[in-house]
Amino acid sequence: MKKIYGVIGDPIAHSMSPVMQNDCFQRNDINAEYFAFHVLKESLSDAVKGFKAIHLSGFNVTIPHKTTIMPFLDEIDPLAQAIGAVNTVVNDDGRFIGYNTDGSGFLEALRKEIPSFIDKNMLLIGAGGAARAIYYTMAHEGVPSIDIANRTPEKAEYLVQNCPYPVESTVLSIQGAEENIAKYDLIVQTTSIGMHPNDDRSPICLDGLKKDAFVSDIIYTPLETKLLQDAKQKGARTQNGVPMFAYQGALAFEKWTGVLPDTERMQSIVLKQLGGKSC
């Protein structure tokens, strides 16, 4: 019998996950199919009940349901519980278990470029949901020091104070981070600044950036944000959000099937959908 998987969100028509995940099922000879389900916030509880009724094998969760779905699940992985968001649900003999592969996906993408990232001086820009997933996952991984810069320092302070894993962090204003930019080997940008209609803006000035620094922006539309353009001009290495998107999907696929798919192929599929090449 064919197994059914999917992704829920509102909106969801733009999702690239079905193309990416269905290719993974086909390439690995797994009798399964992946669909996009448009679920409104007021219908979330009914949707989860319906998925259980039809024995849905697993699904991804995207905006705006990553937090609000948690009360409707049978169990939450400790890291996802700490992050406060779920992006992957596994059907384990009728029990829906929630995980978060966003932070882990970022880590795996970063590890391909910087295997020794743990000993780098790191600056995280932003304090929203994506920043929380990356911050907590990196702290869980054993990264000893992560500074956070945010337009509203109080939000960054909240992340630091509520992190259940040991990590040394200094909260900075954007101006404070700019003044200390030469300190950092690794800069990770998690805000929406750089996306349309703000694709001509950068969240931080990189004057003084180390030439051998590594700058990551989790945005993938556009493929090269102004921040990454500026970083390249300074001689830094860069990474956009495509590898993170592919790896978080690959880790979800592995949780469902026990198979880790070809992440390079997954990235190529996403890039084809976006009509560009990675930077």
Side-chain angles (χ1 to χ4, degrees):
M1 175 183 281
K2 177 181 286 188
K3 292 185 175 181
I4 301 298
Y5 297 85
V7 56
I8 65 170
D10 178 27
I12 200 62
H14 67 288
S15 177
M16 291 177 287
S17 292
V19 174
M20 185 175 72
Q21 298 289 18
N22 280 321
D23 182 78
C24 289
F25 286 126
Q26 292 168 13
R27 294 283 293 184
N28 289 280
D29 294 320
I30 295 173
N31 187 21
E33 194 164 358
Y34 185 105
F35 297 91
F37 298 104
H38 186 193
V39 176
L40 302 176
K41 61 181 181 180
E42 59 267 25
S43 303
L44 183 57
S45 175
D46 289 338
V48 174
K49 290 176 183 176
F51 289 161
K52 278 199 170 187
I54 65 172
H55 307 292
L56 196 76
S57 296
F59 58 99
N60 289 125
V61 185
T62 190
I63 295 171
H65 304 314
K66 289 187 178 185
T67 297
T68 52
I69 195 171
M70 294 174 73
F72 305 122
L73 302 178
D74 299 297
E75 183 181 336
I76 308 250
D77 172 74
L79 179 57
Q81 188 75 61
I83 292 169
V86 162
N87 80 326
T88 299
V89 176
V90 175
N91 185 342
D92 184 5
D93 290 329
R95 300 180 71 252
F96 278 4
I97 304 175
Y99 297 88
N100 190 304
T101 67
D102 284 331
S104 301
F106 173 81
L107 279 187
E108 291 305 313
L110 181 64
R111 205 188 306 272
K112 293 287 285 187
E113 300 292 334
I114 312 177
S116 59
F117 66 84
I118 284 183
D119 61 359
K120 304 297 183 184
N121 288 324
M122 176 178 168
L123 174 67
L124 183 68
I125 303 172
R132 187 184 184 108
I134 291 170
Y135 179 64
Y136 283 14
T137 303
M138 295 193 84
H140 179 262
E141 187 75 7
V143 176
S145 176
I146 306 170
D147 291 349
I148 306 178
N150 195 53
R151 286 177 296 179
T152 308
E154 292 79 10
K155 290 185 178 180
E157 290 283 3
Y158 181 86
L159 290 192
V160 172
Q161 293 170 5
N162 288 275
C163 183
Y165 310 109
V167 59
E168 292 292 329
S169 297
T170 299
V171 171
L172 302 165
S173 65
I174 296 298
Q175 181 181 350
E178 290 172 342
E179 292 170 353
N180 291 276
I181 204 75
K183 168 185 175 182
Y184 300 105
D185 309 297
L186 171 61
I187 297 173
V188 181
Q189 199 294 113
T190 69
T191 77
S192 61
I193 298 174
M195 295 178 66
H196 182 77
N198 299 312
D199 46 11
D200 61 341
R201 293 178 55 202
S202 174
I204 195 168
C205 176
L206 296 179
D207 288 348
L209 180 72
K210 291 180 178 180
K211 285 189 176 180
D212 59 348
F214 188 88
V215 180
S216 172
D217 194 327
I218 69 169
I219 291 171
Y220 53 80
T221 50
L223 287 170
E224 188 171 65
T225 59
K226 187 175 188 304
L227 176 75
L228 296 186
Q229 292 171 17
D230 292 347
K232 276 188 173 180
Q233 290 177 357
K234 300 290 184 184
R237 295 169 59 207
T238 63
Q239 182 182 64
N240 63 23
V242 171
M244 174 183 171
F245 179 75
Y247 270 99
Q248 64 81 25
L251 293 172
F253 189 91
E254 184 180 34
K255 288 187 180 299
W256 296 326
T257 67
V259 176
L260 183 65
D262 182 348
T263 53
E264 295 294 328
R265 181 177 174 85
M266 294 173 81
Q267 290 181 57
S268 296
I269 289 170
V270 173
L271 286 168
K272 184 177 180 180
Q273 293 293 306
L274 294 171
K277 62 180 181 178
S278 185
C279 59

